[in-house]
Coordinates of all heavy atoms in Angstrom, one line a residue:
H17 N 0.8 -1.2 0.0 CA 0.0 0.0 0.0 C 0.8 1.3 0.0 O 0.3 2.4 -0.2 CB -0.9 0.0 1.2 CG -0.2 0.0 2.5 ND1 0.4 -1.2 3.0 CD2 0.1 1.0 3.4 CE1 1.0 -0.9 4.1 NE2 0.8 0.4 4.4
A18 N 2.1 1.2 0.3 CA 3.0 2.4 0.4 C 4.4 2.0 0.4 O 4.8 0.9 0.6 CB 2.6 3.2 1.6
I19 N 5.3 3.1 0.3 CA 6.7 2.9 0.5 C 7.1 3.8 1.7 O 6.6 5.0 1.8 CB 7.5 3.4 -0.8 CG1 7.1 2.5 -1.9 CG2 9.0 3.4 -0.5 CD1 7.6 2.9 -3.3
Y20 N 7.8 3.3 2.6 CA 8.2 4.0 3.8 C 9.7 4.3 3.8 O 10.5 3.3 3.7 CB 7.8 3.3 5.1 CG 6.3 3.2 5.2 CD1 5.7 2.1 4.7 CD2 5.6 4.2 5.8 CE1 4.3 1.9 4.9 CE2 4.2 4.1 5.9 CZ 3.6 3.0 5.4 OH 2.2 2.9 5.5
A21 N 10.2 5.5 3.9 CA 11.6 5.8 4.1 C 11.8 6.0 5.6 O 11.2 6.8 6.2 CB 12.0 7.0 3.4
I22 N 12.6 5.1 6.2 CA 12.8 5.1 7.6 C 14.2 5.7 8.0 O 15.2 5.3 7.4 CB 12.7 3.7 8.2 CG1 11.3 3.1 7.9 CG2 13.0 3.7 9.7 CD1 11.2 1.7 8.4
E23 N 14.1 6.7 8.8 CA 15.4 7.3 9.4 C 15.5 6.6 10.8 O 14.6 6.8 11.6 CB 15.3 8.8 9.4 CG 16.5 9.5 10.0 CD 17.7 9.4 9.1 OE1 17.5 9.2 7.8 OE2 18.8 9.5 9.6
N24 N 16.6 5.9 11.0 CA 16.7 5.3 12.3 C 17.7 6.0 13.2 O 18.8 6.5 12.7 CB 17.2 3.8 12.1 CG 17.3 3.1 13.4 OD1 16.3 2.8 14.0 ND2 18.5 2.8 13.9
K25 N 17.4 6.2 14.4 CA 18.3 6.9 15.4 C 18.5 5.9 16.6 O 17.5 5.3 17.1 CB 17.7 8.2 15.9 CG 17.5 9.2 14.8 CD 18.9 9.6 14.2 CE 18.8 10.6 13.1 NZ 20.0 10.7 12.4
D26 N 19.7 5.7 16.9 CA 20.1 4.8 18.0 C 20.5 5.6 19.3 O 21.5 5.4 19.9 CB 21.2 3.9 17.6 CG 21.4 2.7 18.5 OD1 20.5 2.3 19.2 OD2 22.5 2.2 18.5
Y27 N 19.7 6.7 19.5 CA 20.0 7.6 20.6 C 19.8 6.9 22.0 O 18.8 6.2 22.2 CB 19.1 8.8 20.6 CG 19.3 9.8 19.4 CD1 18.3 10.6 19.1 CD2 20.5 9.8 18.7 CE1 18.4 11.5 18.0 CE2 20.6 10.6 17.6 CZ 19.6 11.5 17.3 OH 19.8 12.4 16.2
R28 N 20.7 7.1 22.9 CA 20.6 6.6 24.2 C 20.3 7.7 25.2 O 20.8 8.8 25.1 CB 21.9 5.9 24.6 CG 22.1 4.6 23.9 CD 23.5 4.0 24.2 NE 23.7 2.8 23.4 CZ 24.0 2.7 22.1 NH1 24.1 3.8 21.4 NH2 24.2 1.6 21.5
G29 N 19.4 7.5 26.1 CA 19.1 8.5 27.1 C 17.8 9.2 26.8 O 17.0 8.8 26.0
R30 N 17.5 10.2 27.6 CA 16.3 10.9 27.5 C 16.2 11.8 26.2 O 17.2 12.6 25.9 CB 16.1 11.8 28.7 CG 14.8 12.6 28.6 CD 14.4 13.3 30.0 NE 13.4 14.3 29.8 CZ 12.1 14.0 29.6 NH1 11.7 12.8 29.4 NH2 11.2 15.0 29.5
I31 N 15.1 11.7 25.5 CA 14.9 12.5 24.3 C 13.7 13.4 24.5 O 12.7 13.0 24.9 CB 14.7 11.6 23.1 CG1 15.8 10.7 22.8 CG2 14.4 12.5 21.8 CD1 15.6 9.7 21.7
E32 N 13.9 14.7 24.2 CA 12.8 15.7 24.2 C 12.7 16.1 22.7 O 13.7 16.5 22.1 CB 13.1 16.9 25.0 CG 13.2 16.6 26.5 CD 13.5 17.9 27.3 OE1 12.9 18.9 27.1 OE2 14.4 17.8 28.1
A33 N 11.5 16.0 22.2 CA 11.3 16.2 20.7 C 10.4 17.4 20.5 O 9.3 17.5 21.1 CB 10.7 15.0 20.1
Y34 N 10.9 18.4 19.8 CA 10.2 19.6 19.4 C 10.3 19.7 17.9 O 11.1 19.1 17.2 CB 10.8 20.8 20.1 CG 10.8 20.7 21.5 CD1 12.0 20.4 22.2 CD2 9.7 21.0 22.3 CE1 12.0 20.3 23.6 CE2 9.7 20.8 23.7 CZ 10.9 20.5 24.3 OH 10.9 20.4 25.7
N35 N 9.4 20.5 17.3 CA 9.4 20.7 15.8 C 10.7 21.1 15.3 O 11.1 20.7 14.2 CB 8.2 21.6 15.4 CG 6.9 21.0 15.6 OD1 6.8 19.7 15.6 ND2 5.9 21.7 15.8
D36 N 11.4 22.0 16.0 CA 12.6 22.6 15.4 C 13.8 21.7 15.7 O 14.8 21.7 15.0 CB 12.8 24.0 15.9 CG 11.8 24.9 15.3 OD1 11.3 24.7 14.2 OD2 11.4 25.9 16.1
A37 N 13.9 21.2 16.9 CA 15.1 20.5 17.4 C 14.7 19.4 18.4 O 13.6 19.4 19.0 CB 16.0 21.4 18.0
W38 N 15.6 18.4 18.5 CA 15.5 17.4 19.5 C 16.6 17.6 20.5 O 17.7 18.1 20.1 CB 15.6 16.0 18.9 CG 14.4 15.6 18.1 CD1 13.4 16.3 17.5 CD2 14.1 14.2 17.8 NE1 12.5 15.5 16.9 CE2 12.9 14.2 17.0 CE3 14.6 13.0 18.1 CZ2 12.2 13.0 16.6 CZ3 14.0 11.8 17.7 CH2 12.8 11.9 16.9
F39 N 16.4 17.2 21.7 CA 17.4 17.2 22.7 C 17.6 15.8 23.2 O 16.7 15.2 23.7 CB 17.1 18.2 23.8 CG 17.0 19.6 23.4 CD1 15.8 20.1 22.8 CD2 18.1 20.4 23.4 CE1 15.7 21.4 22.4 CE2 18.1 21.7 23.0 CZ 16.9 22.2 22.5
C40 N 18.8 15.3 23.1 CA 19.2 14.0 23.6 C 20.1 14.2 24.8 O 21.3 14.7 24.6 CB 19.8 13.1 22.6 SG 20.1 11.4 23.1

């Protein structure tokens, strides 16, 4: 039904995600 382009991140620790930036 679709094609998915996956970006994988192997970040360790606490992640805060906002529209402009992420904080790990």
Side-chain angles (χ1 to χ4, degrees):
H17 61 284
I19 297 171
Y20 296 93
I22 300 177
E23 181 70 25
N24 185 67
K25 296 300 178 190
D26 196 23
Y27 295 158
R28 290 171 182 77
R30 178 168 167 71
I31 299 174
E32 292 179 49
Y34 302 100
N35 288 336
D36 294 327
W38 286 24
F39 295 87
C40 183

